[in-house]
Amino acid sequence: LKDLGQLQFLDLSLNQIQDYSFLKDLGQLQSLDLEGNQIDDISFLKDLRQLQKLDLCYNQIQDITFLKDLGQLQFLDLSLNQI
C-alpha cells in the first residue's frame, strides 16, 4: 500500500493484521476503519494527521494518548475497547 500515498479512504475492518506500520506512508488518509481487529497499540496513527473519520471499535486499545495529535478528527469510535 505504500505506493498509494494519495489514498483517502481505507477499510481494513475484520482482519487479523498484526503489523500496521505500513499505514504511516498513507499521510493523505481521511477515513480509516479498523473495526474488529485485535489492535492494542495505536502509536502507528501518529503520522496520519489528515484523518477526519477513525473507527477503532471492537479492539483491545487501552492507551489513546496518540490520538491527541489528530486535530482534523470529526468522527471517532472507540466503543468496546479496554479504555
Side-chain angles (χ1 to χ4, degrees):
L1 289 176
K2 72 178 187 175
D3 294 330
L4 300 175
Q6 299 302 311
L7 193 65
Q8 295 182 347
F9 303 94
L10 181 60
D11 185 342
L12 292 172
S13 57
L14 303 172
N15 284 286
Q16 298 297 316
I17 301 170
Q18 295 180 357
D19 180 7
Y20 290 88
S21 62
F22 65 91
L23 290 175
K24 69 179 175 13
D25 296 320
L26 301 178
Q28 299 301 312
L29 274 182
Q30 295 177 14
S31 176
L32 180 59
D33 187 344
L34 296 173
E35 172 187 348
N37 287 283
Q38 296 184 5
I39 300 169
D40 58 1
D41 177 9
I42 58 170
S43 61
F44 63 89
L45 294 172
K46 68 181 185 282
D47 296 321
L48 300 180
R49 297 177 186 250
Q50 299 300 315
L51 280 178
Q52 296 175 12
K53 179 178 186 250
L54 179 58
D55 189 340
L56 293 168
C57 67
Y58 293 100
N59 281 288
Q60 299 174 8
I61 299 166
Q62 295 180 10
D63 180 6
I64 59 171
T65 57
F66 289 100
L67 296 177
K68 70 181 179 344
D69 296 323
L70 302 180
Q72 300 295 319
L73 274 182
Q74 298 175 15
F75 173 88
L76 175 62
D77 189 347
L78 292 168
S79 59
L80 299 167
N81 277 283
Q82 299 172 10
I83 302 170

